[in-house]
Amino acid sequence: MITIDCRDVESIKNELLVYVSDQVAAIPTLKNHEFILSAIEDDETIDKTVVITSIKEFLESIGENHNFAVISTNDIVSIRSISGKTIERDQQPQPDMFSCTHCGFVTRFEVEHHAHMKIHYL
């Protein structure tokens, strides 16, 4: 598991999560100021260099690569502002997201979440 600390880029955390988990082929789990990437199979590991490269590519795609540093310490990757500036975007109302604690499946529909959770207990 690799934890990505997004305190300085909180407003783009969801977009970043989707991009990085797609590039790395990992299961994402949302937290308050971070997200966690878990390997799909138990015997697999996530390549931290690929995670860091993906984060840098995403920051470059939105023109913020010169304003933020991607720092790796053990299994934690932090995105830190170089100048103290954070990314501010207009927050659109986000619907509540429901995440499966077993596999990381994410949906915004509570009924779909409950139906999904049942498959883990069959």
Side-chain angles (χ1 to χ4, degrees), residues 75-92:
D75 286 337
I76 299 174
V77 176
S78 300
I79 305 167
R80 293 288 174 239
S81 174
I82 295 171
S83 63
K85 169 193 160 202
T86 59
I87 296 176
E88 300 293 330
R89 288 198 175 166
D90 294 334
Q91 292 291 332
Q92 298 174 354

Side-chain angles (χ1 to χ4, degrees), residues 23-57:
Q23 296 294 315
V24 179
I27 300 170
T29 305
L30 283 169
K31 299 282 186 171
N32 281 341
H33 303 289
E34 62 192 20
F35 62 91
I36 298 171
L37 296 173
S38 305
I40 295 173
E41 297 292 328
D42 291 335
D43 59 342
E44 293 178 353
T45 57
I46 298 173
D47 187 353
K48 194 170 20 172
T49 58
V50 175
V51 172
I52 292 168
T53 302
S54 299
I55 293 169
K56 288 180 179 181
E57 286 174 357

